[in-house]
Amino acid sequence: MLSFLLPLAVFLGLASPPAIEEAKDGITLAPDSEARWIAFDLTPSNQIRFEAVLNGRAVRAVLDTGLTNTLATQDFAARARLAIGRRQRALAIGGGVEVAWAPGGTLVMGGLTRRGGRIVIPDAPGQDRFGADLLIGSDVLSCCALDIDYAVRRFRILPSGRMPFTGHTAPLSLQHGSEVPVTEIRLGGARLRPMIVDTGDGAAVTLSRAAWTSANYRGATLTTTLGWGIGGALVSEAAVIPGFTLGGSTLPETEVRIEGEGGYSTAAGAAGRIGTGLLLRYRVLLDPRAGRMVLQPAGAPATPVLRSTSGLLLGAEDAHLRVLHVMRGSPAEAGGWREGETICAADGVAVAGRPIDWSAGTPGRVVTLTLCGGRERQLTLRKFY
């Protein structure tokens, strides 16, 4: 886990879901859609970001299968002069939010064109963290199959039923009501389902508290971590464990996050979510209408999960770093670090614009950190989860 990374877990569950078919009626695929690869990059939150076109305007978009309805940021909605309609409350990771609706217009991405439908605009904090203007959800994506080649950083949209490559196969369907893709995993002998397959979530695996308890997993050391959803920041427990089974394949070491009682997954009727932090190890085919997800392992061997050894989750602000969260059981917690403190130098070197490699550095290393007020504090790194 990168101590400076805030995975953006974005999912919008409407209290009263609209008729999904209203949007799908306007979706068409070009005959050569299979040949139209779409290049993408990964945002700092592990999201698939690419260029699409909405109403003739180029937009930065994120591929977000865990989102029930395509979403536009307030800033983009204002710039594009989207016609704002009725408002309602919606369920989101990080807390409930108020949303407004706008006509969907004409959306083009690769060989797919959607005419009509609707776009949701949330009144929520932290929209600058999205790194995009538009988050394209399952109201568009569930029509078809997605072939995502993380190694080459490209994806394409295929007619359902195509099988362009082989690999480990897991069941995949559309959750009733939300229409997001769901599968299942096994952990500690427990069959956990439904698990939302969420390309908009930068974490690897997130479980509801009930799902984690039912697995009765032994031997995990739990800490705490921080993430962001549409509803704002949220703290969850986290552990690094082996032993997940997905599609008949046992996964290597994986970070799992555990939501608190009454967390988002429970409210959404799910056991948890599988995010890009896990999926990017593979070439992935998502085809819920054909009932399958195919995972082809990347050529390179799986690397160990990058763990914090400091316990400081940090955000970059101008010429300093701000402590956003202090992980439970960490050297930082033992050293009395607090949220909101600011760091201007590490081992005498200014932190501005530099990688925060020391925060997940070699256990036993002693780092001298200079707070922006001038005080120096030492932190001895160690493996604590």
Side-chain angles (χ1 to χ4, degrees), residues 308-335:
S308 172
T309 50
S310 66
L312 291 174
L313 301 186
L314 304 166
E317 297 181 356
D318 300 322
H320 63 262
L321 301 172
R322 182 174 297 276
V323 177
L324 303 178
H325 180 70
V326 179
M327 300 172 73
R328 188 175 68 207
S330 68
E333 183 185 57

Side-chain angles (χ1 to χ4, degrees), residues 171-240:
L172 192 69
S173 60
L174 296 175
Q175 186 181 38
H176 179 70
S178 70
E179 296 291 291
V180 297
V182 292
T183 187
E184 62 183 53
I185 64 172
R186 288 188 178 272
L187 174 64
R191 184 183 183 189
L192 304 181
R193 60 176 183 172
M195 292 288 296
I196 298 167
V197 180
D198 187 356
T199 59
D201 187 340
V205 176
T206 301
L207 295 178
S208 70
R209 175 64 57 180
W212 172 255
T213 301
S214 71
N216 196 28
Y217 189 87
R218 304 290 184 180
T221 301
L222 296 177
T223 183
T224 55
T225 190
L226 182 67
W228 278 87
I230 289 178
L234 68 161
V235 175
S236 60
E237 289 190 306
V240 176

Side-chain angles (χ1 to χ4, degrees), residues 358-378:
W358 54 264
S359 189
T362 304
R365 176 183 172 185
V366 178
V367 183
T368 300
L369 300 174
T370 306
L371 277 66
C372 294
R375 179 185 172 194
E376 286 191 349
R377 299 169 73 176
Q378 288 192 328

Side-chain angles (χ1 to χ4, degrees), residues 96-123:
V97 297
E98 186 170 275
V99 301
W101 293 96
T106 300
L107 171 68
V108 179
M109 46 182 291
L112 181 149
T113 300
R114 182 181 80 161
R115 295 180 176 86
R118 295 184 289 182
I119 293 175
V120 67
I121 304 158
D123 182 8

Side-chain angles (χ1 to χ4, degrees), residues 9-154:
V10 182
F11 187 104
L12 186 68
L14 296 172
S16 302
I20 297 295
E21 291 306 318
E22 175 184 325
K24 288 193 173 58
D25 287 345
I27 293 178
T28 58
L29 280 184
D32 64 343
S33 179
E34 190 164 348
R36 297 194 189 185
W37 287 98
I38 302 170
F40 68 83
D41 68 343
L42 288 176
T43 71
S45 298
N46 279 343
Q47 293 172 304
I48 295 171
R49 180 171 54 195
F50 62 100
E51 186 172 289
V53 176
L54 179 66
N55 297 333
R57 175 194 294 261
V59 296
R60 294 176 306 158
V62 160
L63 197 71
D64 196 338
T65 57
L67 193 65
T68 56
N69 286 83
T70 293
L71 175 153
T73 64
Q74 289 181 324
D75 177 65
F76 174 75
R79 286 186 282 114
R81 298 181 179 178
L82 299 183
I84 307 300
R86 68 182 181 90
R87 308 182 72 87
Q88 70 179 99
R89 293 292 294 176
L91 173 67
I93 293 174
V97 297
E98 186 170 275
V99 301
W101 293 96
T106 300
L107 171 68
V108 179
M109 46 182 291
L112 181 149
T113 300
R114 182 181 80 161
R115 295 180 176 86
R118 295 184 289 182
I119 293 175
V120 67
I121 304 158
D123 182 8
Q127 296 191 31
D128 58 329
R129 294 179 182 270
F130 293 176
D133 305 309
L134 205 64
L135 277 60
I136 297 176
S138 191
D139 56 333
V140 175
L141 302 173
S142 63
C143 70
C144 312
L146 286 173
D147 177 2
I148 307 172
D149 192 338
Y150 283 100
V152 184
R153 297 291 193 266
R154 63 180 187 173

